[in-house]
Amino acid sequence: SVATIRRLYVSGAVECDMDRLGRIIVPSVLREHATLQRNVLWAGMGRHIELWAKEKFESMRNAALEDDARRVEMARRLAELGL
């Protein structure tokens, strides 16, 4: 069920502290899982955000944009959503 899927994925969520400068301290287990090192970025996802290793995000984005069939499909989906 959707509830089970949410539970499995969201149950891995952890609270993160901020340091005195207001920076979010991502636990090492999450940094390792996401291969986060020095350069990271926040990607807006509507009501959610994702934290990416900058190089991985750029690689994913470039792969998606270089694939003509994928770009056409994304444009079709955006049009369906009125965007």
Side-chain angles (χ1 to χ4, degrees):
S1 74
V2 172
T4 301
I5 293 169
R6 280 187 179 161
R7 201 169 291 120
L8 290 172
Y9 282 94
V10 177
S11 67
V14 297
E15 289 188 24
C16 298
D17 294 323
M18 290 196 320
D19 68 10
R20 294 179 308 153
L21 298 175
R23 297 176 296 194
I24 297 171
I25 302 169
V26 179
S28 61
V29 67
L30 295 179
R31 286 194 315 268
E32 291 169 13
H33 176 73
T35 63
L36 301 177
Q37 297 194 7
R38 191 112 181 83
N39 297 315
V40 300
L41 60 84
W42 292 106
M45 297 290 295
R47 293 180 26 199
H48 307 279
I49 57 173
E50 295 178 336
L51 182 61
W52 282 77
K54 184 178 179 185
E55 299 79 18
K56 284 194 168 202
F57 182 85
E58 289 173 349
S59 177
M60 176 277 304
R61 182 189 63 211
N62 291 340
L65 295 177
E66 290 170 359
D67 182 337
D68 290 336
R70 198 164 174 191
R71 274 198 351 257
V72 168
E73 177 62 16
M74 286 187 293
R76 185 186 69 72
R77 295 287 308 192
L78 288 171
E80 287 175 359
L81 296 171
L83 301 173

